[in-house]
Amino acid sequence: MSTATAKPNAAPVSTPAPARYRLVVESAQEAVTILQKRFGTRARVVAVRQVQSGGLGGFFRKPKLEVVIEVAPEATPAATPTPASANDEGQPAVHSRKPAAAPAPAMEEDASAPDEAEATVSATATPLPTRARAEILGAGRALALLEACGFDRFLIERIRTDNRVQDWEKLPVQELLALVCDWLRRQNPAPEALELAPRRAFIGTPGVGKTTALCKALAREVFLHGRRPSVAKLDGGQPNPTDGLEVFCEVLGVDLLRTTREVRRWSGGDALFVDLPGCPAASRGSEETELLDLLCSLGVDSRILVIHAGYEAEMIGDAYAFGRRMEATHAVFTHLDEVRNPGKLWKFLLTGGLPPLFGSIGPNLADDYEEGIFSLLLQRTLPETAIHFAMPPAERARRARHG
């Protein structure tokens, strides 16, 4: 009777490369559900980003999430050598072995997302690893959260880089917002950046509230600081009626100048506020040239760009471009009480190059004046808990004492 001998181990089977999937889903939870159903513990998140739907209707739809994952191939168990037994004829028995399953073909990087039917998780579905689940639920969270507050991608990346945060998706929401809040506070202009020259012109496009902004600044000079400024209302290239400014100046007891000759001869008082007619932001012709020449000839060194905060971001950008052509030095934001998305203003405040003097939050000429525009926007942009968390301990204690 022959003795069976064990066969040598088979050559190791090479491990196929992971397959890569690209899923476009409505939410992070939907992505988790799909991955639980299809891949179990083999999925690893590679990248997550927001994508906007195409076409005109895309502007009115909630952005979707694009999740790129890698899926490890299913492990193929190695064949276990078994001793051969003799058959009835005394010949060694031949044991058949199924060939190793061929590796699953790698899916295209832009493979379409699974259909909605696969979003239902069966009771026996293998749970997704905790880390992978956290990556999906966390990835894009910081980006989506800050974009919802009105920050654009460029500003978000600048905040992340300045704070040297490698992976802020893993930060708790409160800590993330507090970090952003603290960074924004540090961008507040230094007091010397808000200093003005004696001659100050309020410039801007028609209808933004230049005269109202001038009146608010004038009232503070008179009532709060006890100064005696003068006002000049000039026509420039087009009529600029006095309207109620003349009456307001009379009530405050300040002089109102109406000609360029009077302005050139002005040498008294604490400051001269110059009101000019509006100039369309899109006009780059003779109107702008005349206005710029007038400002230079009158020796106006502080040129305050007045911006309607309720305008769309594109129009605000046009206003800033106009201000650069007029060599503006500071900015004032009006109609802040009408802004539905105050976060859009951060980009201009932080990158526009014009220190904000104040914001107008109402029509009252002697009030509705917000000097701390950074603090105002923080209150209207970020949750109060984050603002409180980002305060210095001494400030938090002071507020607690005073209720």
Side-chain angles (χ1 to χ4, degrees):
M1 185 175 179
S2 61
T3 304
T5 58
K7 293 185 178 181
N9 291 337
V13 180
S14 60
T15 304
R20 180 166 286 201
Y21 288 77
R22 170 182 163 274
L23 312 177
V24 178
V25 293
E26 297 292 338
S27 64
Q29 185 58 53
E30 183 183 353
V32 171
T33 301
I34 292 174
L35 296 189
Q36 284 180 327
K37 178 66 175 179
R38 289 198 63 175
F39 307 114
T41 60
R42 295 182 293 123
R44 183 180 73 88
V45 178
V46 175
V48 178
R49 70 182 183 92
Q50 281 190 325
V51 292
Q52 188 73 41
S53 301
L56 181 61
F59 290 102
F60 305 99
R61 298 193 188 104
K62 179 182 176 182
K64 296 184 178 182
L65 283 179
E66 180 185 78
V67 182
V68 179
I69 61 169
E70 282 186 351
V71 181
E74 293 188 59
T76 303
T80 304
T82 57
S85 57
N87 58 19
D88 293 338
E89 285 78 17
Q91 300 295 327
V94 179
H95 292 272
S96 62
R97 185 180 64 194
K98 293 183 179 179
M107 298 190 66
E108 295 183 6
E109 187 170 348
D110 290 333
S112 58
D115 55 32
E116 295 181 0
E118 295 191 22
T120 304
V121 183
S122 66
T124 59
T126 306
L128 197 67
T130 303
R131 181 175 178 180
R133 180 183 177 90
E135 285 177 347
I136 297 176
L137 292 176
R141 179 205 53 162
L143 182 64
L145 183 62
L146 296 180
E147 284 185 333
C149 292
F151 302 107
D152 64 7
R153 296 287 181 93
F154 175 81
L155 184 55
I156 292 172
E157 180 59 21
R158 179 181 166 188
I159 296 172
R160 189 192 68 79
T161 303
D162 286 358
N163 285 282
R164 299 179 181 178
V165 178
Q166 296 298 324
D167 188 5
W168 63 358
E169 301 294 355
K170 297 179 180 178
L171 293 176
V173 172
Q174 187 178 14
E175 186 176 342
L176 168 67
L177 292 176
L179 181 147
V180 173
C181 183
D182 182 62
W183 183 87
L184 291 172
R185 287 185 186 279
R186 297 199 304 269
Q187 311 310 308
N188 206 356
E192 55 268 21
L194 303 178
E195 294 179 358
L196 299 173
R199 300 190 181 208
R200 312 160 186 180
F202 287 73
I203 60 176
T205 56
V208 296
K210 298 184 307 301
T211 303
T212 300
L214 184 150
C215 289
K216 289 175 181 287
L218 182 64
R220 289 182 69 83
E221 288 287 306
V222 174
F223 296 133
L224 188 61
H225 302 297
R227 296 170 184 158
R228 300 286 299 176
S230 300
V231 177
K233 192 169 182 71
L234 305 179
D235 292 333
Q238 55 184 305
N240 188 21
T242 57
D243 296 331
L245 181 58
E246 184 174 1
V247 176
F248 191 69
C249 288
E250 185 176 348
V251 170
L252 296 182
V254 302
D255 296 330
L256 177 64
L257 313 180
R258 287 291 291 158
T259 66
T260 56
R261 182 178 180 182
E262 290 178 295
V263 172
R264 290 190 177 96
R265 293 172 58 186
W266 176 86
S267 60
D270 295 308
L272 177 64
F273 291 78
V274 181
D275 182 78
L276 295 164
C279 184
S283 66
R284 300 194 181 188
S286 59
E287 285 186 63
E288 283 195 1
T289 303
E290 290 177 8
L291 178 58
L292 185 58
D293 290 344
L294 178 61
L295 291 169
C296 294
S297 66
L298 296 177
V300 177
D301 294 323
S302 290
R303 304 173 187 182
I304 303 163
L305 178 66
V306 182
I307 303 160
H308 194 309
Y311 285 170
E312 295 296 328
E314 184 177 358
M315 296 182 66
I316 296 177
D318 291 341
Y320 265 84
F322 165 75
R324 286 191 292 271
R325 296 193 293 272
M326 294 297 104
E327 300 175 9
T329 58
H330 298 80
V332 165
F333 287 87
T334 62
H335 302 83
L336 282 169
D337 52 316
E338 302 173 12
V339 178
R340 298 183 62 185
N341 178 22
K344 69 182 179 184
L345 301 177
W346 284 118
K347 175 177 69 174
F348 302 104
L349 281 172
L350 298 171
T351 64
L354 300 178
L357 287 179
F358 65 88
S360 172
I361 54 176
N364 192 331
L365 296 181
D367 199 2
D368 296 338
Y369 178 108
E370 182 58 56
E371 195 169 48
I373 189 168
F374 268 68
S375 296
L376 176 67
L377 283 186
L378 278 172
Q379 293 171 7
R380 297 192 177 186
T381 304
L382 300 177
E384 184 63 29
T385 52
I387 298 173
H388 178 78
F389 188 75
M391 286 180 186
E395 177 64 13
R396 289 204 299 269
R398 186 190 68 79
R399 293 200 176 197
R401 286 195 303 269
H402 293 83

